Amino acid sequence: MSGALAGETALVTGAASGIGRAIALALAREGAEVVLADRHSAAETADAIRASGGDTWECPVDVGDEAAVLRLFETLRQRRNRLDILVNNAGILIEKPLLETSASDFDRLMAVNLRGTFLVGREALRMMVAGSGGRVINVASELAYLGRANASVYCASKGGVLSMTRSWAREFAPDIRVNALAPGPTETPMLTGGSTSPETLAKEGDNPLGRIGRPEEIAAAAVFLAGPASSFMTGQCVSPNGGAAMF
Ligand SMILES: NC(=O)c1ccc[n+]([C@@H]2O[C@H](COP(=O)([O-])OP(=O)(O)OC[C@H]3O[C@@H](n4cnc5c(N)ncnc54)[C@H](O)[C@@H]3O)[C@@H](O)[C@H]2O)c1
């Protein structure tokens, strides 16, 4: 396919659902070959990409499992030996009052959101350094800035993602650009649990634009960060959030 990313290979974690699925579709529309990495089947995403003429393949992984992440990159080396774009998107949310949050809840959440971002990011950056550079996009959350009652561990994990983003941006400049996305509430299974009740939509959409986001609106920001239009940006956080947090 032609497009700003034609000839490039992109890896998207958490590509089976929600924001990751939308980002994978959008990168493929720009011409990138997209590797779909999820702990669940991403076959539906793959079918949608192929149906619109895009190029894709699946590589199942649990991003918190170091051996599985190393296997993913071994497969990538054997099949392509190049990586231009990483979207570190896989994440989970555990909402509980702090006083009911166990150490295993903390470990389970950090294993995906922070350790997973670290493991996949480290291996992707290793490949990009050995190749001809690249772009990394880490998916954080507006909650890293705002905080949220009953979600402090999630918020802390996303604060860690933002902090790693800035350090990686400094460590790997100028050949590799590393930026973050901090979406506001977005209509995905993580937010709605499959039910978009008017109460949920009204509560989550309490921002100047008066609504929650669509996955495609977050994907548009990812395409911007992945492509040449953001060539003078690194270490930044782009925040499609309806204006809930302003910087
Ligand atoms: N939806 C929102 O309102 C919102 C807002 C801000 C940030 N985010 C962030 O956006 C990202 C995507 O969230 P979403 O809303 O699309 O959620 P989602 O639940 O729809 O999708 C998450 C995907 O990640 C995958 N995943 C989970 N754990 C994994 C693991 N260990 N290894 C590999 N894959 C794994 C899931 O299988 C799923 O396909 C997350 O990092 C989330 O924290 C979401």
Side-chain angles (χ1 to χ4, degrees):
M1 278 178 103
S2 60
L5 306 176
E8 303 209 321
T9 298
L11 171 65
V12 181
T13 67
S17 172
I19 291 171
R21 176 187 184 280
I23 291 175
L25 282 160
L27 295 177
R29 265 196 303 276
E30 287 300 322
E33 171 196 47
V34 185
V35 183
L36 309 171
D38 202 293
R39 69 176 169 186
H40 294 127
S41 167
E44 193 275 333
T45 308
D47 289 346
I49 290 176
R50 290 191 193 108
S52 56
D55 192 5
T56 190
W57 44 284
E58 272 189 83
C59 203
V61 71
D62 175 345
V63 295
D65 176 343
E66 184 172 28
V69 170
L70 294 179
R71 278 197 302 277
L72 161 69
F73 280 88
E74 196 42 49
T75 305
L76 197 49
R77 274 191 198 88
Q78 281 166 10
R79 286 190 64 154
R80 278 296 173 274
N81 206 20
R82 74 173 286 168
L83 182 64
D84 304 283
I85 299 159
L86 165 67
V87 184
N88 240 332
N89 164 80
I92 60 169
L93 169 67
I94 299 175
E95 278 194 288
K96 274 189 184 177
L98 177 68
L99 303 186
E100 294 167 21
T101 303
S102 65
S104 65
D105 289 332
F106 181 96
D107 291 345
R108 191 157 61 91
L109 193 139
M110 288 294 178
V112 183
N113 293 12
L114 198 51
R115 181 181 156 92
T117 299
F118 155 70
L119 287 173
V120 177
R122 185 188 66 188
E123 295 313 309
L125 285 160
R126 199 188 303 285
M127 247 182 117
M128 289 174 182
V129 166
S132 51
R135 282 85 65 207
V136 174
I137 299 155
N138 292 328
V139 178
S141 166
E142 65 165 4
L143 298 182
Y145 295 106
L146 296 174
R148 180 159 171 151
N150 303 325
S152 57
V153 179
Y154 176 82
C155 297
S157 73
K158 295 301 188 179
V161 167
L162 286 181
S163 192
M164 276 201 300
T165 300
R166 297 184 187 113
S167 299
W168 291 354
R170 292 187 187 281
E171 195 167 333
F172 293 95
D175 293 337
I176 301 169
R177 295 191 293 111
V178 186
N179 291 291
L181 270 179
T186 307
E187 191 169 344
T188 72
M190 175 183 284
L191 182 78
T192 64
S195 108
T196 45
S197 72
E199 295 75 28
T200 304
L201 295 184
K203 178 175 143 260
E204 298 289 352
D206 183 18
N207 60 46
L209 294 187
R211 64 176 178 85
I212 66 172
R214 297 187 302 275
E216 296 71 25
E217 293 175 303
I218 314 304
V223 168
F224 167 67
L225 289 176
S230 60
S231 55
F232 198 44
M233 291 177 67
T234 196
Q236 305 302 309
C237 180
V238 172
S239 305
N241 64 17
M246 298 187 185
F247 307 100

